[in-house]
Amino acid sequence: MGEPVVMAEIWRGDLLESCHRGHAVVMDARGGLVAAWGDPTQIVYPRSSAKMVQALPLLRSGAAKAHGLGAKHLALACASHNGAAIHTEPVRDWLTDLGLADDDLRCGAHLPKDRTAKEALIRAGDRPCQFHNNCSGKHAGFLTLVRHLGAGPEYIEIDHPVQAAVRAAFEEACDETSPGFGIDGCSAPNFAISLAGMGRAMAGFADAREDSAEDQLVKAMIAHPDLVAGEGRACTRLMRACVGQAALKTGAEAFFVAILPEKGLGVALKIEDGSTRAAECAIAAILVTLGVLPADHPEALAFTDAPTTNWRGVQTGWMRATDVMRQMP
Amino acid sequence: MGEPVVMAEIWRGDLLESCHRGHAVVMDARGGLVAAWGDPTQIVYPRSSAKMVQALPLLRSGAAKAHGLGAKHLALACASHNGAAIHTEPVRDWLTDLGLADDDLRCGAHLPKDRTAKEALIRAGDRPCQFHNNCSGKHAGFLTLVRHLGAGPEYIEIDHPVQAAVRAAFEEACDETSPGFGIDGCSAPNFAISLAGMGRAMAGFADAREDSAEDQLVKAMIAHPDLVAGEGRACTRLMRACVGQAALKTGAEAFFVAILPEKGLGVALKIEDGSTRAAECAIAAILVTLGVLPADHPEALAFTDAPTTNWRGVQTGWMRATDVMRQMP
């Protein structure tokens, strides 16, 4: 323990070209450490992997119910979406229902990852709006809570009631005090915590009481894997492959969490170098190791034993999860 | 020595979020090790950092002279270019001069990195051609040698005379036997070598005899930093900032080399996780440490002490070269 563990390797021909180190934990519903690779005390920013926790005040306050939010809204509140029409249209409608417009968002604008949506914008000579931002569902959730609380418009400020509620929910879920926060890509505060703390929060979601806020969010994610990320994305593909046994969420700089309701377990992992390809590889390996994804499932193989190809489709090598990730430590 | 060294750190707020480890060497013209961070014996794929070596047979065979290639052609042969018009138009002309067409290339097609060129293709509903590939200049050089040798069209095969000549030039420059090869993104073989071997080859370029093949390539790169990469890219920006004191070339999976003619030194570095952002940060730090780039030059600061900003332009943290990279080891 302590030093990060090599979790993923990139081979070219017969030689190792690159590798990725990281830390990961599996926690149970009593807050206990079931397994660790590397250092469970590592202080991390969960980034977008915290979206389920950031959505708790939306439900607990009664705001979600008062505004008639359904499972699709909740899945979008937890999403880092591709900006395809299935994501941006419901977010736009959600803002309209609140009597708000794109300018009320504080997430900033970026081109959608979804190729069809991106190329349509470029062809039309249009610039992306804030609702195209991958975090726009989370921000629509924040704005719903703003409306419910009658709070001011700068909902991403650290001392705004929305963020105070998020911090309280986050520290309660992790059962730890956050040592500080950073500003996320979408301008909201992102609270730092130990890796074990984040895993503990995920175990709490896994073991949630029927119909609690946590339970509603997990069920919404599992019911709508296409809304949580989008076609081609690891969260969506692996949630489908786990067939209801896992809610999954990536975060920037190579964070990943898994909520396993049938096992009552939570997983949190961080690749130290911030590479998404490695976080996807490592979480898939852990899902296999924990028995919620068959090792020979095509989507497991696509992330743990992935052939790499070049611009002419020639196979150049492999990305592989290391042996240490394929068994309990 | 041995273990990779943390070379670059990504801070968010007051906390370290991610870091990158790597190996680097500085070699002199007699093939001696001047400095090392990490393990000089690490076996690496230099990827596109090998393009200057891959271009040696083009010059030594007389093919470049016979076909009237100038400094711009040579810079493009060493380039991983952005696919802007300044890159693709001369490569197209070069193919036309050879009586060849896009189909004769074997590099594969991908969208240009250059935003204007990319968006123009998307707006026109066109698909990218092989001359848009960032390696198309190298491949035009290969095809020139094919023509000169009267060799067959499959010039990227390992047993083709072009690749046999490349291997011989590579092993001679590195003064080592390559332990194997992989297929590169552009389908050409890429020969593995020790990091020290690659640094030794770069020192050979730094100390090249006037008008030798090496000397012509280094002068072409230094004369045309915009052709070697493109606007906004680290190679181009840092070569301009070093004002003739360095020829620089990146390679995929976070390789970077520097040729320092006035110092007679060669530098080679590999970030173990393959992250380009860290390779750029580390090479800039080494250029400062070796005295060819002022520490307070805006382009040095842009890579070694770079503020990170989000979608709304808010500063979220820093990417910084570590202290260990800011002094000779």
Side-chain angles (χ1 to χ4, degrees), chain A residues 12 18 21 183 253 272, chain B residues 12 18 21 183 253 272:
Chain A
R12 182 168 299 268
S18 302
R21 299 169 199 252
I183 302 302
E253 290 289 327
E272 72 165 10
Chain B
R12 182 168 298 270
S18 302
R21 297 169 199 253
I183 302 302
E253 291 288 329
E272 71 163 11

Side-chain angles (χ1 to χ4, degrees), chain A residues 108-128:
Chain A
H110 64 74
L111 277 170
K113 196 182 285 259
D114 179 78
R115 188 172 156 182
T116 305
K118 179 174 66 185
E119 296 194 352
L121 274 174
I122 291 171
R123 281 201 196 94
D126 286 343
R127 295 174 63 171

Side-chain angles (χ1 to χ4, degrees), chain A residues 2-45:
Chain A
E3 287 305 300
V5 168
V6 176
M7 295 188 166
E9 293 179 338
I10 286 80
W11 290 77
R12 182 168 299 268
D14 296 329
L15 296 167
L16 183 67
E17 182 167 25
S18 302
C19 68
H20 298 275
R21 299 169 199 252
H23 306 277
V25 293
V26 182
M27 305 293 288
D28 68 23
R30 290 162 307 156
L33 183 72
V34 174
W37 292 264
D39 180 7
T41 70
Q42 188 82 7
I43 297 299
V44 294
Y45 285 115

Side-chain angles (χ1 to χ4, degrees), chain A residues 25 39-47 49-50 53 167-182 190-202 255 257 268 270, chain B residues 15-16:
Chain A
V25 293
D39 180 7
T41 70
Q42 188 82 7
I43 297 299
V44 294
Y45 285 115
R47 307 291 299 276
S49 292
V53 186
R167 181 176 202 141
F170 185 72
E171 293 188 335
E172 187 200 338
C174 298
D175 197 21
E176 284 180 15
T177 302
S178 166
F181 71 97
N190 195 259
F191 297 101
I193 207 75
S194 80
L195 190 65
M198 190 61 192
R200 192 176 295 123
M202 296 302 102
F255 212 87
V257 295
K270 162 75 182 174
Chain B
L15 296 166
L16 182 67

Side-chain angles (χ1 to χ4, degrees), chain A residues 12 17-21 45 47 106 122 156 183-185 187 253 270 272-273 277 310 312, chain B residues 12 17-21 45 47 106 123 156 183-185 187 253 270 272-273 277 310 312:
Chain A
R12 182 168 299 268
E17 182 167 25
S18 302
C19 68
H20 298 275
R21 299 169 199 252
Y45 285 115
R47 307 291 299 276
R106 294 289 181 271
I122 291 171
I156 47 138
I183 302 302
D184 210 333
S187 291
E253 290 289 327
K270 162 75 182 174
E272 72 165 10
D273 60 61
R277 66 179 181 185
N310 70 10
R312 292 205 305 157
Chain B
R12 182 168 298 270
E17 182 168 25
S18 302
C19 68
H20 298 275
R21 297 169 199 253
Y45 285 115
R47 306 292 299 276
R106 295 288 181 270
R123 281 201 196 94
I156 47 137
I183 302 302
D184 211 333
S187 290
E253 291 288 329
K270 161 76 182 172
E272 71 163 11
D273 61 63
R277 67 180 180 185
N310 69 10
R312 291 205 305 158

Side-chain angles (χ1 to χ4, degrees), chain B residues 85-116:
Chain B
I86 61 157
H87 308 113
T88 52
E89 287 173 9
V91 171
R92 248 190 320 192
D93 292 346
W94 187 351
L95 291 173
T96 304
D97 291 346
L98 290 168
L100 298 173
D102 201 64
D103 280 353
D104 294 304
L105 292 169
R106 295 288 181 270
C107 49
H110 64 74
L111 277 169
K113 197 181 285 260
D114 179 78
R115 189 173 156 181
T116 305

